[in-house]
Amino acid sequence: MSTTSESSPGSSPSEPATTAPASADPPADELSADELSADEAAALKRARAEKIGRYVAMFVMPILMVGMMITGYLAAMSSPTPNDMPIVVSGATSETVPFADALEAADPDAVDVRVVDDPEAAREMVLDQEASGAVHLEGPAATLYTAGGAGASQASVVQGLVAPQILSQGMTLETIDPAPLPATDMSGLGAMFMATALVMAGYLPFSVLVSNSPELLRFRRAVPLLAGWSAVIAALVWLVTGPVLGVVEGHTAEVLGIAWLGVFAVGAVQLFFTRLFGAMAVLVGMLFLMVLGVPASNMGMSVHTMPGLYPYLHTFLPTPAIGEAMRSVLYLDGRGVGPHLAVLAIGAVVGLALTALVDVIKRRRNPNPAPVVINMPSLHGGARPQSRFWRYTAVFLFPFLMVGMMITVMLGAMDKPTPREMPVAVVGATAEQAQQTVDGLDAQMTGMFDLRVAATSDDAREMVADREIVGAFVLPSAENPTATVMTNQAGGSAAQQVVNQVFTQVAGAQQLPVVSEDVAPLPSSDSGGTVSMYVAMGWVLAGFMIIVVGANAAPASRPLRTLLPIVAVYAPLMSALIWLIAGPITGAVDGHFWALFGVGIVAIYCVAMFATIFERLIGLFAVIPVVGVLMFLGVPASNGALSIYMEPEIFRILHDYLPMPAAVESIRSILYFDGDVVPGHLLTFAVWGVISLLVVVVIDRFKPLRTTIDHHTHPPTPPAGEVTAPDATPGAGPDGDRERELIRA
């Protein structure tokens, strides 16, 4: 019988905690080996081994989860490079063959060029996603077809590959988008976030059930529950993306159907994983669904800019299948949806069939298995609920709220990336000319840019380099007859692209020759400008995972006198590991060890203290507010994935206060700007860490701290047709887990 600092179930809340009476007999762990019986010695040895194992798990689980995710994302997406991108060329043979040869010769690894006779067939291949782009040549004119609905980033990459070759041959270029993205989802992120949310909904519930309510994993219970859960999540995703956010218009039946099938298929495969790996199935699901699935999805980045493994994974993993099916019905009139639905349907059938097969094999090998040990008896941090209703409600709410927050906050923040008060300076030959230009542009682009006058081009360049502004537009002068658009790619690639595009068009409308000047270009190892965000995600994930995992795997670590030293060892370990992944392993970062190592320690430690507040209050449910604040709000506010000047105003405010933006900007500053703004962000971490620690101290004074494992077991599934009587095993609690069960054949 374990002893905790909380009142035991069934005792009066006012009863004092029972303490052992004074005795002359020393504790068992203080007796010598000669004074212990063989059984006692063996039990003591097992207890010590279990204690060590729990502390090891406290470190190993975060290392595996964080290491796996950061390695996968940095290796696949830090430096997207065209790789055998399929491009079709049509027109007269005398024109197409030389052009195709020249296009391939320019970068043989980047493109896979095919020649066809019919321009309409080439265009259809783009719509069917058999080709990333199509070029039709007709005399001195060239027409480039790219489908925004097939991926906005892919269309940009194709133009970057094809346009220079066309222009170098003296041809005129016309770009046509036969499947543009709708105005409600100009970035095409709707399908991506829907797919991510549906995948999360598929694998997260079973990952909780296996440790909390294993009776719900019995095949005949799990399948109807999964079907109902899939329907609930499908309705939630449709409600948020449609009526609430307005990202999706129409396509109600298609969205509901794909969402239901996607969640059901992922859940069916994850159910099979739980049969093989138990509680560790969450790692397997994360590997295939998130670590490999997200880069292979062809959603955020074209799969043809990923390493060679990912186009292959794209053909059968569920994350790409869900995303591509959604993209097909939302943007491409349902073209090509069939194969993706087939992947999901086959995955669901195979997952359920393999689960049933494993169950049969296990029953034949062991007709009387041992009871299942429940290692996560409560999700909310208190005693295990006596009512199954409340326990199952908690099990439902945990993944439901996670999915709801993710699809609502992330998609709501990033689905309509439009410049909002983006600071840009204008330099003219005179101050009056610059002010006139500012006034004219303000009238045309109300609210898009915060335009201001800079005295000289040198002043503007310094402001851009210091990230006080995101860009500058320098008008021609007697000394420099060419207009210049200045940007800072390392300071934010998304903002740089917007400023370049808009002000190049402004110069073109005024018939001014224009050049671009990047005051801080990104290195080839971070061509997408996402390294700082992925490293920051590693710090934040590492910080809160040690608390959540430790509280359940090794609750003896929860007292501050034990927890603080553990985190003091863990934070440097994880900071060094994340640098090792970003640097030598993936090559995304070159050097800067000591600066990144030091700031990483501070970030991880302070995030851990913040997570401890909610873990103290609500147990595993702490994941919901912690992930909500640090990730779902933090990523949009970070200025990493998307410029904060392209999101709602609230995220620009949060950028100055949240840990994730502090982490992203610190890493960016260390890598590219000599650490110029790191002290201010260290202050942000310190405020979060110190205040969080003080709050934890206060909580611990008023709320009893659980430091032991509440042992619960659940009877295994009996052979078909048998009835199990109520279990009278000592220690069986009043939680209803051992009531009579009837399993029908």
Side-chain angles (χ1 to χ4, degrees):
M1 181 175 178
S2 61
T3 303
T4 72
S5 58
E6 294 177 346
S7 299
S8 61
S11 65
S12 170
S14 61
E15 283 184 358
T18 302
T19 58
S23 172
D25 296 329
D29 57 358
E30 294 181 8
L31 293 173
S32 67
D34 294 338
E35 296 174 296
L36 293 173
S37 68
D39 290 342
E40 290 172 331
L44 181 59
K45 185 176 180 180
R46 286 195 301 270
R48 287 172 177 168
E50 179 182 352
K51 183 177 181 180
I52 293 172
R54 289 186 176 278
Y55 278 104
V56 170
M58 184 178 180
F59 278 71
V60 169
M61 283 292 288
I63 288 173
L64 290 176
M65 295 184 77
V66 175
M68 195 167 57
M69 182 164 290
I70 302 307
T71 302
Y73 285 3
L74 284 174
M77 298 188 289
S78 64
S79 182
T81 304
N83 181 28
D84 289 331
M85 185 161 279
I87 296 176
V88 181
V89 180
S90 65
T93 304
S94 59
E95 297 175 319
T96 56
V97 173
F99 180 84
D101 291 341
L103 187 58
E104 284 195 332
D107 192 343
D109 296 329
V111 294
D112 177 15
V113 183
R114 295 174 55 188
V115 175
V116 299
D117 297 330
D118 185 5
E120 186 59 27
R123 178 180 176 277
E124 290 296 310
M125 291 176 70
V126 173
L127 291 173
D128 292 336
Q129 299 189 69
E130 297 176 19
S132 301
V135 183
H136 177 63
L137 305 176
E138 191 169 353
T143 304
L144 174 61
Y145 295 96
T146 57
S153 67
Q154 176 174 272
S156 177
V157 172
V158 171
Q159 291 181 33
L161 291 170
V162 174
Q165 191 63 37
I166 292 173
L167 298 177
S168 68
Q169 297 187 21
M171 292 184 286
T172 60
L173 173 62
E174 180 185 9
T175 301
I176 296 177
D177 188 343
L181 289 164
T184 57
D185 189 13
M186 297 178 292
S187 62
L189 294 178
M192 184 186 78
F193 282 114
M194 291 167 76
T196 306
L198 294 170
V199 165
M200 181 189 295
Y203 85 87
L204 190 58
F206 286 147
S207 303
V208 176
L209 288 177
V210 72
S211 299
N212 176 266
S213 300
E215 71 274 13
L216 297 182
L217 293 178
R218 292 171 178 170
F219 191 86
R220 294 190 178 184
R221 286 187 179 184
V223 175
L225 283 173
L226 177 58
W229 169 253
S230 301
V232 169
I233 293 299
L236 172 67
V237 170
W238 170 81
L239 178 67
V240 172
T241 59
V244 175
L245 296 179
V247 175
V248 174
E249 289 187 347
H251 308 288
T252 299
E254 295 94 330
V255 168
L256 288 172
I258 294 170
W260 184 91
L261 180 59
V263 176
F264 190 86
V266 172
V269 175
Q270 190 67 15
L271 181 63
F272 170 62
F273 287 157
T274 64
R275 294 298 200 264
L276 298 183
F277 306 105
M280 298 299 287
V282 64
L283 292 177
V284 181
M286 180 178 290
L287 173 63
F288 287 104
L289 298 171
M290 304 299 291
V291 174
L292 297 176
V294 170
S297 67
N298 200 35
M299 294 286 109
M301 296 181 183
S302 170
V303 73
H304 297 293
T305 64
M306 301 288 107
L309 171 68
Y310 291 93
Y312 171 71
L313 296 175
H314 178 266
T315 61
F316 66 87
L317 287 183
T319 307
I322 297 172
E324 293 286 18
M326 284 293 184
R327 170 183 278 166
S328 177
V329 301
L330 294 178
Y331 315 135
L332 301 170
D333 295 326
R335 286 175 176 263
V337 71
H340 304 300
L341 296 180
V343 167
L344 297 174
I346 293 171
V349 172
V350 171
L352 294 181
L354 290 176
T355 301
L357 178 61
V358 170
D359 287 350
V360 170
I361 293 173
K362 285 185 175 181
R363 280 197 296 268
R364 288 181 177 177
R365 289 181 176 177
N366 188 7
N368 299 299
V372 178
V373 177
I374 298 172
N375 55 23
M376 192 185 297
S378 171
L379 298 184
H380 58 76
R384 183 171 173 82
Q386 296 185 16
S387 167
R388 280 204 280 180
F389 171 80
W390 291 113
R391 178 154 52 87
Y392 292 166
T393 298
V395 168
F396 166 81
L397 284 177
F398 181 78
F400 182 83
L401 292 176
M402 287 287 289
V403 173
M405 278 200 312
M406 189 268 176
I407 192 71
T408 303
V409 179
M410 296 284 281
L411 184 56
M414 304 171 73
D415 74 301
K416 297 180 178 66
T418 304
R420 296 176 173 91
E421 300 296 330
M422 187 175 284
V424 174
V426 176
V427 180
T430 64
E432 290 76 12
Q433 182 195 28
Q435 188 61 55
Q436 289 176 357
T437 302
V438 167
D439 294 340
L441 293 175
D442 269 338
Q444 298 173 26
M445 301 182 292
T446 304
M448 293 179 62
F449 295 94
D450 176 13
L451 298 171
R452 60 195 70 176
V453 173
T456 66
S457 59
D458 289 339
D459 291 342
R461 186 176 293 106
E462 183 176 352
M463 293 167 67
V464 173
D466 291 340
R467 285 106 70 213
E468 296 177 25
I469 56 177
V470 299
F473 182 47
V474 182
L475 296 166
S477 62
E479 295 80 13
N480 186 2
T482 303
T484 303
V485 179
M486 294 181 183
T487 55
N488 185 328
Q489 187 185 32
S493 57
Q496 184 228 16
Q497 292 172 10
V498 169
V499 172
N500 253 333
Q501 180 181 4
V502 171
F503 287 92
T504 297
Q505 292 175 354
V506 169
Q510 298 178 14
Q511 297 183 339
L512 298 174
V514 62
V515 296
S516 297
E517 178 185 342
D518 189 348
V519 302
L522 286 166
S524 59
S525 60
D526 186 19
S527 58
T530 56
V531 167
S532 58
M533 185 183 69
Y534 293 138
V535 174
M537 286 175 60
W539 289 352
V540 170
L541 286 170
F544 80 78
M545 284 197 63
I546 185 65
I547 303 303
V548 173
V549 173
N552 291 281
S557 68
R558 297 179 77 216
L560 281 177
R561 65 179 181 275
T562 305
L563 182 64
L564 293 179
I566 287 176
V567 179
V569 173
Y570 170 85
L573 173 67
M574 288 303 295
S575 184
L577 175 65
I578 292 168
W579 177 87
L580 186 67
I581 292 170
I585 293 177
T586 64
V589 169
D590 184 14
H592 305 284
F593 169 74
W594 289 111
L596 291 174
F597 176 65
V599 177
I601 292 172
V602 176
I604 292 169
Y605 208 106
C606 294
V607 167
M609 292 301 100
F610 173 67
T612 305
I613 295 175
F614 292 95
E615 190 283 319
R616 290 289 203 264
L617 296 174
I618 53 177
L620 184 66
F621 270 110
V623 173
I624 295 171
V626 171
V627 171
V629 172
L630 298 179
M631 301 297 289
F632 295 157
L633 291 176
V635 170
S638 70
N639 202 32
L642 191 64
S643 171
I644 54 173
Y645 297 106
M646 300 170 69
E647 299 171 349
E649 175 70 21
I650 182 61
F651 294 98
R652 199 180 313 174
I653 297 172
L654 293 175
H655 177 268
D656 296 331
Y657 301 103
L658 294 182
M660 176 62 84
V664 170
E665 296 292 6
S666 295
I667 297 163
R668 177 181 285 155
S669 176
I670 291 169
L671 294 179
Y672 308 125
F673 301 105
D674 298 322
D676 56 351
V677 298
V678 169
H681 297 302
L682 285 176
L683 179 61
T684 299
F685 288 131
V687 169
W688 278 79
V690 171
I691 293 177
S692 297
L693 180 58
L694 293 175
V695 172
V696 173
V697 171
V698 173
I699 293 173
D700 285 353
R701 287 184 63 89
F702 294 97
K703 188 175 187 293
L705 192 62
R706 176 182 58 84
T707 58
T708 61
I709 298 293
D710 294 327
H711 292 285
H712 292 262
T713 59
H714 188 277
T717 304
E722 289 190 9
V723 178
T724 63
D727 196 331
T729 303
D735 57 7
D737 277 348
R738 296 183 176 277
E739 75 278 7
R740 184 183 304 271
E741 297 275 358
L742 175 62
I743 308 297
R744 300 188 177 182

